Amino acid sequence: MRYLLRRLGFYLITAWAAITINFLIPRLMPGDPVDLMVARMNGQIDPDAIAAMKRAFGLTGGSLWSQYWTYLGNLAHGELGRSITMYPTEVSSVIGGALPWTLGLVGIATIISYVIGTGLGVVAAWRRGTWLDSILPATTFLQAVPYFWVALALVMVFGVTLSWLPVSGAYSLDVEPGFTGDFLGSMAYHAILPAITIVVASIADRVMGMRNVMVTTLGEDYVTMAEAKGLTSRRVMWAYAARNAILPNITSFTLSLGFVVGGSVLTEIVFSYPGIGSVLLKAVENEDFPLMQGIFLIISLAVLAANFLADLCYVALDPRTRQEA
Amino acid sequence: MDYLTGSGAVHAVDGVSLTLRRGEILGLAGESGSGKSTLANAVARLLRPPAVVTAGSVTYHRADGSATDLLRMGKQELRRFRWKELAVVFQSAMNSLNPVTTVGSQVDDVLRAHDRSMSTVERRDRAVELLRRVGISADRAKSYPHELSGGMRQRAAIAIALALNPEIIIMDEPTTALDVVVQRDILREIKALREEYGFAVVFITHDLSLLLSMADRIAVMYAGQLVEHGAARDVHDHPRHPYTLGLLRSFPKLRGPREELLGIPGTPPDLRDLPPGCPFHPRCRFAVDACSAEQPELTEVHSGQWAACLAHGPSYGPVPVELSAGGSR
Ligand SMILES: Nc1ncnc2c1ncn2[C@@H]1O[C@H](COP(=O)(O)OP(=O)(O)OP(=O)(O)O)[C@@H](O)[C@H]1O
Ligand SMILES: [Mg+2]
């Protein structure tokens, strides 16, 4: 318990550092980012927006110190300023609108990829030396293939050539958003291709990661002993070997969960999926600094949260971490 | 038994034939790398690739007189046989316990796998009883392996081996990593348990002198081959093979007259490419020309004591005094 509290303290400090850096960066840039932007737009921007931007950056005059407190106060109320592209929408509500899509699509796809990949890795290691080994080069190939390439290939085959699946958007425009069967069905239908993209592009890492650790674990004496005990192969494989082999893989899994928010930009763009990735692209294109800042903040916090989740998993799964270190 | 490696097959165990009698302690000694663990694992059918059993059999005679070859058992039959008839205490108890589950549950799962009629409470009581029997208190059943000392882990491993009251326990250097006092306690414990439960033990060690107090019979391995075996007393008092003699002399004697610590010069041979003739001849004090040409067979030198050494054969002159019954030891 003390261990977890210490970790939590560490993450809080890191989060504070991320927030503070987020505050400082615009101020460390030469000049003032808002003035720079206004200059670039030849004054064709209305004074309201300029004021909003200044507020968003906390450039409200006064000392750096008082600006910092204003910034923290706003953050505590979930205020991240207003988006420039979608003015006068609040950055927080732009992110709030996009985040559930990303979490739903990428989060679920990542979990599926992890569960299937880990399972395949366990079996591939258990049956090493059989024909299963001959599919390993295929996973190496998959590992090398980038997301957008998989996405484009899937769009070509299933979307354009076969016209089986929709290739863009999160739901079709002729259904009313809401908690209805129609809408959820349309959502799932639209999520198939992007989800497959993410699973296909990330599963090879999972399989190989698990297989490699598992092969090492299978050489451990406790696995041999479990076998000598006459336990069923299933029990030896899962309760002894996989149960231990999973530990080194927790970090990579939770890290990939942490990057769910920011890591699937290309997939979302290819499929015009209304998630954080698409919003980030829009923000970058339009130099929408408040929005970018907000998204980066969310991404950093997500990575921190995932790290804390990793610690929780370790404590739950590995008794050795429960010991007071 | 071979290990197939990139640079050729390692003949880790070759032509070894041993008999373990009901309820006896058979000591298996030899230098590191002589193939003791490989032999033990082969007998329990625990070898994994790259290890292969190229030839041989492991015949198990049941109390009712029926006999089976372990190496030909089907998967299910083997699973039932394991632990109920043959249990193993591995070379490093440090690593043979699952680090993520409690000691108690590692006793529990072997009970559950083999005896479906036992209730949860019965199994728990049995686990506690077993641990108590080897000197681990009941509350330690809920401990994880990392919370136990090396000696306690070794005891826990022995408790797990006892769980199903097996006929045979193979103990692969069960005390090598422990300090002398703990080692002595555990050896005494093993003997007491043997008296109580009547199982037979294959006790593997590189410390031949340790076996005198433990074993009924001793077998000595060199380079994957059996070089001598016989009653513990005989082997200890009158070793008939130069390698056994060297092993005995490489440990200082606590009692009795002082003698030269001889040890064995040189290093063990490469198992991929054994020297011709007797594998030990390059390191042997008594070697003659014939030793590099002729491979000695195990022959009965003294009643019940067998050695694979040409010195006891017709082609050698008089048997060196150290290798005969008149030898000092
Ligand atoms: N996986 C393997 N691949 C190749 N050779 C191996 C393998 N495992 C063991 N060997 C070789 O087999 C021989 C016998 O090894 P084994 O572990 O049986 O020795 P041991 O007598 O138990 O030694 P120790 O006293 O150190 O435990 C050694 O020469 C070793 O190098
Ligand atoms: Mg060994």
Side-chain angles (χ1 to χ4, degrees), chain B residues 31-38 91 172-173 204:
Chain B
E31 268 171 301
S32 187
S34 56
K36 307 180 299 287
S37 299
T38 308
Q91 182 155 358
D172 192 353
E173 309 204 21
I204 297 174

Side-chain angles (χ1 to χ4, degrees), chain A residues 228-271:
Chain A
K229 276 158 99 177
L231 307 181
T232 56
S233 315
R234 232 193 14 237
R235 195 163 161 78
V236 178
M237 174 157 106
W238 294 104
Y240 282 75
R243 177 69 175 72
N244 280 284
I246 199 113
L247 298 176
N249 278 301
I250 290 176
T251 310
S252 74
F253 172 56
T254 47
L255 276 186
S256 63
L257 274 188
F259 289 115
V260 157
V261 175
S264 57
V265 179
L266 287 171
T267 313
E268 289 191 5
I269 291 168
V270 171
F271 291 99

Side-chain angles (χ1 to χ4, degrees), chain B residues 23-27 89 133-134 155 158 162 169 171 174-175 182-203 209-217 232-233 255:
Chain B
E24 86 171 345
I25 298 186
L26 172 66
V89 176
R133 188 64 198 76
V134 297
R155 287 164 191 273
I158 293 172
L162 291 173
I169 302 183
M171 299 190 174
T175 57
V182 180
Q183 186 172 345
R184 186 154 306 166
D185 283 349
I186 289 186
L187 293 181
R188 197 178 304 129
E189 196 84 66
I190 293 172
K191 275 201 286 191
L193 290 166
R194 203 268 307 242
E195 297 300 318
E196 189 178 333
Y197 293 98
F199 48 81
V201 180
V202 178
F203 193 95
S209 60
L210 187 100
L211 286 179
L212 180 70
S213 60
M214 276 297 288
D216 302 315
R217 285 194 307 134
R233 210 31 316 127
R255 277 179 291 273

Side-chain angles (χ1 to χ4, degrees), chain A residues 218 221 228-230 240 244, chain B residues 48 79 92 98 106 109 114:
Chain A
L218 285 174
D221 285 349
K229 276 158 99 177
Y240 282 75
N244 280 284
Chain B
R48 295 233 187 74
R79 205 172 74 67
S92 51
N98 187 349
Q106 294 182 53
D109 70 356
H114 290 276

